[in-house]
Amino acid sequence: MSVQGHAIIVGGAGGIGSAIARRLATDGYQLTIADVDLAAAQSLVSSLGSGGHDAVLIDVTDDLSVDRSLDAVEARSPARVLFIASGGMVSKPGMTNVTTMTTADWNKGIALNLNGTFFCIRKFGQQRRDAP
């Protein structure tokens, strides 16, 4: 099987991200699994078999962490084809609606789901602008 390209999957160790990773690995992509849970990302990489896959620690709520992580990936093997931001917050038990949600939980969700997506897409766009 020929390599289709290099894909970065942010939040790749979770349910949706790992399903995407398994499919892309089957389709011949070289993958970087970026996740706040590095052990889970490394475990997923091990389960994907050969293909030059790797794992990287990333905290998408911290723009400097995003920059450092994606700069490291860029230095090893740029992802010119595919970038997937699949991380997201899963509600805690008992957090069924906004009437029971704490401000801290709200802020965590905003930081992860909105800021994190923005930080990742911004950095990837900067990298592709600078080295298309």
Side-chain angles (χ1 to χ4, degrees), residues 34 39 47 69 75 81 85 95 116 123:
S47 76
S69 297
V81 177
M95 188 170 48
K123 183 62 178 179

Short mmCIF file of all heavy atoms in Angstrom, two decimals, residues 34 39 47 69 75 81 85 95 116 123:
data_model
loop_
_atom_site.label_atom_id
_atom_site.label_comp_id
_atom_site.label_asym_id
_atom_site.label_seq_id
_atom_site.Cartn_x
_atom_site.Cartn_y
_atom_site.Cartn_z
N ALA A 34 -2.36 13.41 17.96
CA ALA A 34 -2.07 14.46 18.93
C ALA A 34 -3.19 14.48 19.96
O ALA A 34 -4.36 14.58 19.60
CB ALA A 34 -1.97 15.81 18.22
N ALA A 39 -0.43 8.79 26.66
CA ALA A 39 -0.39 7.33 26.78
C ALA A 39 -1.44 6.68 25.88
O ALA A 39 -1.16 5.68 25.20
CB ALA A 39 -0.59 6.91 28.24
N SER A 47 -1.30 0.15 18.09
CA SER A 47 -2.32 -0.74 17.53
C SER A 47 -2.50 -0.58 16.02
O SER A 47 -3.08 -1.44 15.37
CB SER A 47 -3.67 -0.51 18.23
OG SER A 47 -4.28 0.69 17.76
N SER A 69 3.69 21.79 19.84
CA SER A 69 3.39 20.44 19.35
C SER A 69 3.36 20.39 17.83
O SER A 69 3.94 19.50 17.21
CB SER A 69 2.05 19.96 19.92
OG SER A 69 2.13 19.87 21.32
N ALA A 75 8.42 19.79 11.87
CA ALA A 75 9.84 19.54 11.70
C ALA A 75 10.12 18.10 11.27
O ALA A 75 11.05 17.83 10.52
CB ALA A 75 10.60 19.86 12.99
N VAL A 81 -1.64 17.48 3.57
CA VAL A 81 -2.86 17.00 2.98
C VAL A 81 -4.06 17.10 3.92
O VAL A 81 -5.12 17.56 3.53
CB VAL A 81 -2.70 15.52 2.52
CG1 VAL A 81 -3.99 14.98 1.95
CG2 VAL A 81 -1.59 15.43 1.49
N ALA A 85 -9.29 18.25 13.50
CA ALA A 85 -9.44 18.66 14.90
C ALA A 85 -10.69 17.96 15.44
O ALA A 85 -11.80 18.41 15.22
CB ALA A 85 -9.56 20.18 15.01
N MET A 95 -24.33 16.43 34.45
CA MET A 95 -24.27 17.71 33.75
C MET A 95 -25.13 17.58 32.49
O MET A 95 -24.65 17.39 31.39
CB MET A 95 -22.83 18.08 33.39
CG MET A 95 -22.73 19.49 32.84
SD MET A 95 -21.06 20.14 32.64
CE MET A 95 -20.17 18.87 31.81
N GLY A 116 -9.60 25.84 21.39
CA GLY A 116 -8.72 24.78 20.93
C GLY A 116 -8.78 24.58 19.43
O GLY A 116 -7.75 24.43 18.76
N LYS A 123 -2.69 27.60 13.63
CA LYS A 123 -1.30 27.16 13.50
C LYS A 123 -1.09 26.38 12.21
O LYS A 123 -0.11 26.59 11.49
CB LYS A 123 -0.88 26.33 14.72
CG LYS A 123 0.57 25.90 14.68
CD LYS A 123 1.50 27.11 14.70
CE LYS A 123 2.95 26.71 14.70
NZ LYS A 123 3.84 27.87 14.70
#
